[in-house]
Amino acid sequence: MSGPIISVIIPVYNAEKYLSMTLQSVQQQTFKDFEVICIDDGSSDGSMQILKHFAAADARFKIHHQSNAGGSASRNKGLGLATGRYIAFLDNDDIYHPQYLEILYHNIETYNADISCCAYLRFESEHQYQFAAEKVEACADIISTQPFEDKFVHKKKIDTLMWTKLYRREIFDDIRFDEKLPSINDILLNIEVLLKSRKAVVCRKPLIAYRIIPTSQTMKPLSEARIQEYKDLCVAICQLARRYPQYETLLRKIAARYAYGMHVDEYLQRYNPLQDAPRYNLLRNNLANLQQNGYYEPKRLSFGKQIISWAFMHQKYFLLRRKK
């Protein structure tokens, strides 16, 4: 017997509060030919009991347990177990639109694409989000035969979020999530995916709801480990030029944008360097190290960002107004 058409991979870690709603949103898909690979990443709450309940009621739900290793390792485990022709991802607290798989599958097949994408919406963690009941018509707002250039040169709306996409399985033959990047793992992976892909199709209708949780990785205070991830990401982006030398200049520009955005822009949106010296100095030293080793080149930024980058590096506080 052949396998399912789509494999949905869901890493699960201490998600009992929202997990049932997430799994129900997959179970209620209008497209039915799928498997759900749930990787329990060492949960210590009631997540496993919820998973077992779904698996007992629906054979499409498959549970695998591992000691806590993080989201990247969980997704890599799921990729190794997947049997579907296409791959989708879902976080353990987000919600699929009922037609998420139907529309993304329709587009990837219709346009013979490697990636089928959609838009997303955000909602607050305590809300019980439910999509409107009206049927959504499939659309193809962007059809790209050069996804990497269209994203990073022509600024087309092809995002770098793993859970807004359906991927052709072969894309992952030589690509995996970087386990050194537990909280920003999808950025590097999707840059690699766009480099490798020959065609992408984008439906700009929101087909997934992203839950905003104050305790999530992206909302937590900047830690030393998170700052190290920022450094590792920029190095990894530059190193992609070894496999794609024709894009070295663009990859270095992308690395500079992410280095600036994560070290400088994000910091100034959340903190005041005059009141937060330890974290500020850690970021500043991190950025200096990247620059000294050739992984951060401010000359690849706009002139205004070059000025702010210089001020950030040289502690010119009068130029570093915290953003409102």
Side-chain angles (χ1 to χ4, degrees):
M1 182 182 294
S2 61
I5 291 177
I6 297 174
S7 296
V8 180
I9 298 171
I10 307 178
V12 176
Y13 179 69
N14 288 350
E16 64 178 357
K17 188 173 182 180
Y18 309 115
L19 184 57
S20 290
M21 288 178 283
T22 295
L23 299 180
Q24 286 170 5
S25 78
V26 185
Q27 192 172 49
Q28 295 168 1
Q29 289 293 294
T30 55
F31 182 91
K32 304 298 184 183
D33 192 356
F34 62 82
E35 65 178 354
V36 188
I37 300 175
C38 302
I39 309 297
D40 178 63
D41 191 35
S43 296
S44 58
D45 65 355
S47 295
M48 180 57 82
Q49 285 67 39
I50 295 170
L51 292 173
K52 288 180 178 178
H53 171 77
F54 275 82
D58 190 334
R60 295 175 299 178
F61 286 78
K62 302 170 183 178
I63 307 169
H64 299 271
H65 176 81
Q66 65 182 24
S67 299
N68 183 249
S72 293
S74 297
R75 294 182 183 95
N76 287 340
K77 177 74 170 179
L79 285 169
L81 295 167
T83 61
R85 302 206 310 266
Y86 299 99
I87 303 292
F89 296 99
L90 181 61
D91 284 353
N92 60 198
D93 49 17
D94 295 340
I95 305 293
Y96 275 167
H97 184 283
Q99 292 173 260
Y100 176 94
L101 294 180
E102 174 194 335
I103 291 175
L104 293 189
Y105 175 69
H106 171 271
N107 280 351
I108 205 168
E109 284 279 295
T110 300
Y111 297 97
N112 190 26
D114 292 321
I115 318 166
S116 178
C117 315
C118 66
Y120 71 99
L121 54 82
R122 300 168 181 258
F123 70 104
E124 297 294 333
S125 62
E126 298 308 315
H127 295 174
Q128 306 295 322
Y129 189 82
Q130 187 170 359
F131 282 96
E134 291 84 0
K135 180 178 174 62
V136 175
E137 295 299 326
C139 65
D141 300 300
I142 299 171
I143 302 170
S144 170
T145 56
Q146 48 180 12
F148 180 70
E149 292 181 23
D150 279 344
K151 163 67 178 176
F152 292 106
V153 177
H154 306 299
K155 311 299 184 185
K156 293 188 178 180
K157 293 185 180 297
I158 306 171
D159 64 46
T160 52
L161 297 168
M162 73 192 118
W163 32 259
T164 59
K165 297 180 179 68
L166 184 66
Y167 303 84
R168 193 173 295 276
R169 179 190 177 89
E170 290 76 15
I171 284 287
F172 294 103
D173 284 350
D174 58 354
I175 295 176
R176 286 293 186 270
F177 291 91
D178 190 331
E179 297 185 15
K180 293 190 300 183
L181 305 174
S183 61
I184 52 174
N185 52 63
D186 53 345
I187 297 175
L188 179 65
L189 177 126
N190 276 294
I191 290 174
E192 290 189 75
V193 165
L194 292 175
L195 281 163
K196 186 177 178 181
S197 299
R198 57 183 176 76
K199 184 184 283 188
V201 57
V202 182
C203 171
R204 293 306 303 165
K205 293 178 180 176
L207 298 176
I208 184 168
Y210 168 65
R211 189 186 300 271
I212 301 172
I213 301 178
T215 57
S216 69
Q217 286 283 351
T218 55
M219 301 298 289
K220 289 179 180 178
L222 282 175
S223 64
E224 187 171 346
R226 183 76 181 274
I227 292 169
Q228 180 62 42
E229 280 189 69
Y230 292 168
K231 181 178 178 181
D232 290 339
L233 174 65
C234 296
V235 172
I237 292 172
C238 288
Q239 289 177 341
L240 285 173
R242 297 173 183 173
R243 291 166 55 194
Y244 300 94
Q246 70 273 33
Y247 289 121
E248 180 173 6
T249 298
L250 182 52
L251 286 165
R252 288 189 172 278
K253 186 173 184 177
I254 294 167
R257 289 175 183 170
Y258 276 111
Y260 175 88
M262 292 174 166
H263 288 82
V264 180
D265 197 49
E266 180 182 339
Y267 177 81
L268 293 177
Q269 288 182 31
R270 299 175 65 185
Y271 303 100
N272 185 332
L274 289 171
Q275 301 170 356
D276 186 64
R279 191 166 8 226
Y280 170 58
N281 287 327
L282 185 60
L283 283 160
R284 199 163 56 87
N285 292 336
N286 215 37
L287 204 56
N289 182 269
L290 284 169
Q291 188 170 358
Q292 288 166 7
N293 288 285
Y295 297 116
Y296 175 55
E297 299 172 284
K299 68 181 181 181
R300 300 187 186 277
L301 303 171
S302 67
F303 181 72
K305 289 181 178 179
Q306 289 182 45
I307 296 299
I308 299 300
S309 177
W310 176 86
F312 191 87
M313 298 286 286
H314 292 85
Q315 298 178 276
K316 302 301 181 182
Y317 299 114
F318 67 97
L319 289 172
L320 300 177
R321 307 275 185 195
R322 182 180 175 186
K323 299 186 177 184
K324 303 296 184 185

